[in-house]
Amino acid sequence: MSDTPFGFGLPPEEPENGDGKEKDQSGGGQGPANPFGFGLPGAGGDNPFAAMFGAMNPNDLGAAFQQIGQMLSYEGGPVNWDMAQQIARQTVSQGTPDGTKDASVGPTDRAWVEETVRLADLWLDGVTSLPSGSGSAVAWSRAEWVEATLPVWRELVDPVAERVGAAMGQVLPEEMQAMAGPLIGVMRSMGGAMFGTQMGQAVGVLAGEVVGSSDIGLPLGPTGKSALLPLNVAAFGKDLSVPEEEVRLYLALREAAHQRLFAHVPWLRSHLFGAVEGYARGIKVDTSKLEDMVGQLDPSNPQQLQDALQQGMFQPEDTPAQKAALARLETALALVEGWVDAVVHEAAKPRLGSADALRETLRRRRASGGPAEQTFATLIGLELRPRRLRDAARLWASLSDARGTDGRDALWAHPDMLPTASDLDDPDGFVHREQLDFSELDKLLGEAASGRGTAAPDKGDEGDQDGKGGDDSK
């Protein structure tokens, strides 16, 4: 996280050519330690206004006031996403802790991404019945990843942030609420700015860690686009003692496998996001922390507010419904990641000598999560990690052995056909369970859709419970 409270420090300019080099800015890229990050350390002594503004030239002062005005005049949703976008790009431009700066993607990188994804799709054709979902393959810089994924982050975060916005107006005493309309509006704007700043920083840091558009198991990018970040792919493989080409192919296999699921299982996106929303509905706001935040709305010392937000204000309700929602979410994420893990390993094992090592590295990476994922969990009380990845991968592999590729992938036809959390506990029981035959039902539905088979069944059909009596009604 940046040391600049609320992210109001003046961001370093981003180069037009995207080479990641920063121009020198008065005030520094990380922002000074004083409130709002406006001035320079040591300016003004005991005079807070001198400390904040004394060392600034008129242009910088105007820009700072413009940022404050934008924050307080914001009347959008529960998160100030304009600010989130600005902070995310600022965070990206500052580079990763290892000193790697973002850079524009050149033609060489674009070419290997396209060729590698194309080869990965050919390998996947032999291990899954789902066709390619990669209409195109793109190479993104970190900044491009931010721009492409922010709409999905908005869909994920807004439901929880809305709860905070409502709660901020409820922590005031009832006798004050009628008179505090303008104050509540300012509080909501401040809350939107805090969320926007923190989400911008989290997304910006995550942009330095991800290697594609589907690292967290959710479809963050546009449909039909397999995306890789060449800069991050190189950083991922730097210390693995694995040939660069094998690293690229394995990561391309994972990205292309995710795209097949999201493109050809039409209900999957809504199923995953519905699980996230269902869990979010059961999250309650810690009003004691929120009351402390409201009581500390001191524009000259906002650091305490940011610290409270970073510590987390969200707690899942300890109810059967919330536990069930968490189980649904964890199972959904595990099934997606487990299927990708199993299918990619089946495709890579005969061709890549480092397949086992790369598989284990990525499993551990997903299990632990990076700093940005942990920040996301703190901000909205939700961890997007597939805790049962290994169990799910084992189940999918067993299904492939027992039922073949078509039988395994047929389970994605409907969410009710997927394994449950209890099935992950007993994978053998699920694998060898008698399979339901939907062929007759599909035939009846097809006939009904074409105008046939609509006559009421005669009495001889009553009591037929196996769905096979449809032909007698013709």
Side-chain angles (χ1 to χ4, degrees):
M1 287 299 173
S2 169
D3 293 332
T4 307
F6 292 104
F8 290 148
L10 297 175
E13 292 185 9
E14 296 184 44
E16 294 182 358
N17 62 3
D19 62 3
K21 295 181 181 179
E22 297 177 11
K23 299 179 181 179
D24 184 32
Q25 293 283 333
S26 62
Q30 295 292 337
N34 56 47
F36 293 102
F38 291 151
L40 293 174
D46 295 332
N47 184 336
F49 293 98
M52 292 171 66
F53 308 126
M56 299 184 67
N57 62 52
N59 291 334
D60 289 345
L61 185 60
F65 276 119
Q66 184 177 14
Q67 281 191 311
I68 295 178
Q70 290 173 349
M71 181 198 75
L72 295 179
S73 64
Y74 177 72
E75 297 180 352
V79 179
N80 188 331
W81 288 104
D82 292 337
M83 181 170 288
Q85 180 185 37
Q86 175 187 351
I87 297 300
R89 292 187 65 92
Q90 173 186 343
T91 303
V92 164
S93 72
Q94 292 170 352
T96 50
D98 65 359
T100 304
K101 300 291 186 179
D102 194 20
S104 299
V105 179
T108 301
D109 283 333
R110 295 189 189 279
W112 77 249
V113 167
E114 292 173 359
E115 290 298 323
T116 304
V117 171
R118 186 179 299 114
L119 179 58
D121 256 332
L122 288 175
W123 290 3
L124 289 173
D125 284 340
V127 296
T128 175
S129 61
L130 297 179
S132 173
S134 304
S136 61
V138 294
W140 284 340
S141 67
R142 293 166 179 169
E144 287 172 323
W145 183 89
V146 168
E147 296 294 337
T149 63
L150 271 179
V152 179
W153 290 115
R154 182 171 189 161
E155 190 174 347
L156 284 169
V157 175
D158 273 354
V160 179
E162 183 66 46
R163 296 172 64 85
V164 179
M168 290 186 82
Q170 296 172 359
V171 296
L172 294 175
E174 292 185 9
E175 60 273 15
M176 293 182 60
Q177 290 189 20
M179 301 181 294
L183 177 59
I184 291 176
V186 171
M187 288 163 55
R188 288 181 182 272
S189 296
M190 186 75 77
M194 288 190 295
F195 256 108
T197 299
Q198 297 300 318
M199 281 308 305
Q201 289 175 335
V203 171
V205 173
L206 194 56
E209 301 172 359
V210 297
V211 295
S213 72
S214 55
D215 288 40
I216 66 170
L218 295 173
L220 294 180
T223 302
K225 282 189 177 181
S226 287
L228 292 175
L229 283 71
L231 187 63
N232 293 359
V233 169
F236 173 83
K238 184 174 61 174
D239 299 322
L240 294 182
S241 300
V242 173
E244 181 181 57
E245 188 64 25
E246 294 198 13
V247 172
R248 290 176 173 180
L249 274 165
Y250 200 89
L251 297 178
L253 281 167
R254 288 183 54 83
E255 177 71 10
H258 277 103
Q259 292 300 328
R260 289 189 181 223
L261 267 185
F262 298 138
H264 299 292
V265 182
W267 52 264
L268 183 56
R269 177 188 171 90
S270 60
H271 180 73
L272 287 168
F273 280 75
V276 172
E277 186 176 356
Y279 180 75
R281 280 197 299 267
I283 293 176
K284 60 182 179 182
V285 179
D286 186 339
T287 55
S288 63
K289 285 187 178 180
L290 190 56
E291 287 173 357
D292 290 341
M293 290 177 66
V294 173
Q296 296 167 358
L297 281 176
D298 180 1
S300 69
N301 187 20
Q303 182 63 49
Q304 292 174 320
L305 301 179
Q306 179 168 321
D307 290 343
L309 190 61
Q310 289 177 345
Q311 292 169 6
M313 296 184 299
F314 310 103
Q315 300 171 348
E317 294 181 351
D318 187 18
T319 63
Q322 181 66 354
K323 291 177 180 177
L326 178 59
R328 285 193 298 272
L329 175 57
E330 290 183 343
T331 300
L333 289 172
L335 290 175
V336 169
E337 293 293 273
W339 184 87
V340 169
D341 180 277
V343 167
V344 166
H345 188 69
E346 188 177 350
K349 179 68 172 175
R351 300 176 173 94
L352 302 179
S354 57
D356 289 333
L358 288 168
R359 182 189 205 186
E360 186 61 27
T361 298
L362 284 159
R363 280 181 167 185
R364 292 180 179 179
R365 175 186 171 102
R366 287 295 286 122
S368 61
E373 287 186 77
Q374 294 164 9
T375 299
F376 183 74
T378 300
L379 285 173
I380 69 168
L382 178 61
E383 293 184 354
L384 295 174
R385 298 206 298 269
R387 297 180 183 275
R388 308 199 65 181
L389 166 60
R390 294 176 188 270
D391 294 335
R394 192 177 303 117
L395 185 147
W396 286 118
S398 297
L399 281 167
S400 182
D401 293 338
R403 304 185 186 182
T405 297
D406 291 344
R408 177 200 64 199
D409 294 346
L411 295 177
W412 291 107
H414 192 277
D416 290 344
M417 296 174 65
L418 288 178
T420 63
S422 60
D423 293 324
L424 295 181
D425 296 328
D426 181 23
D428 289 338
F430 180 84
V431 169
H432 299 293
R433 185 181 305 163
E434 181 179 355
Q435 301 179 50
L436 297 177
D437 183 3
F438 289 90
S439 60
E440 290 295 330
L441 178 59
D442 289 340
K443 182 179 179 181
L444 285 173
L445 292 175
E447 290 176 350
S450 63
R452 294 179 297 157
T454 55
D458 58 33
K459 293 183 179 180
D461 290 328
E462 294 179 1
D464 189 334
Q465 298 297 322
D466 62 4
K468 297 181 179 180
D471 291 340
D472 296 335
S473 65
K474 295 180 183 178

